[in-house]
Amino acid sequence: MKPNGFSARRRQSRCTPRTASAALYPTFFAARSYASLADLNRQLDTWIDRVVHQRRVPGESEKLVVQALAEEEPRLLKLPEHPFQTESIRVTSSGKTPYLRHRGRQLPGPRS
């Protein structure tokens, strides 16, 4: 039996909007200081209003992000009335494989 070599594959590229938005985050965190989490959230809200929402929509040179969000808002689903229950904690362990079983499904475990 001969060993099989792995074929070289081209790296899958990410979609353009995700790459474009990911490039914005270093501009927010660069040399920023904050006194508390509330202060950081306040700074983030201001930055989103002044920088992120004022960008142009990719592929549409005349439309701003804030305008595109306003157009999409009527089509968005409403949030549920009651919050999801997240208080339930169940300790489990994985076997030889890094997968955990939950309700009949195999899920990847958290990275350590």
Side-chain angles (χ1 to χ4, degrees):
M1 186 164 155
K2 291 183 182 179
N4 275 343
F6 291 99
S7 62
R9 285 183 18 172
R10 194 176 83 182
R11 182 175 175 242
Q12 292 180 352
S13 63
R14 294 181 176 174
C15 63
T16 304
R18 183 174 177 186
T19 304
S21 65
L24 288 172
Y25 297 120
T27 64
F28 174 72
F29 286 109
R32 187 172 297 270
S33 60
Y34 52 93
S36 65
L37 185 59
D39 180 35
L40 182 63
N41 283 332
R42 197 170 28 259
Q43 291 181 34
L44 178 63
D45 289 338
T46 303
W47 180 75
I48 287 172
D49 291 338
R50 291 184 182 168
V51 177
V52 177
H53 285 170
Q54 301 309 315
R55 293 177 301 133
R56 302 268 180 224
V57 174
E60 298 183 32
S61 62
E62 298 298 318
K63 191 185 295 186
L64 296 177
V65 170
V66 70
Q67 295 167 337
L69 290 173
E71 288 177 11
E72 289 179 3
E73 189 174 7
R75 296 186 299 247
L76 296 176
L77 297 175
K78 293 183 181 181
L79 293 174
E81 288 183 33
H82 307 288
F84 294 109
Q85 292 181 356
T86 58
E87 297 83 23
S88 175
I89 297 175
R90 180 177 166 202
V91 178
T92 185
S93 62
S94 63
K96 292 180 181 179
T97 62
Y99 294 100
L100 305 170
R101 294 202 54 82
H102 178 68
R103 294 185 181 171
R105 297 185 348 202
Q106 278 193 326
L107 304 170
R111 295 182 179 182
S112 56

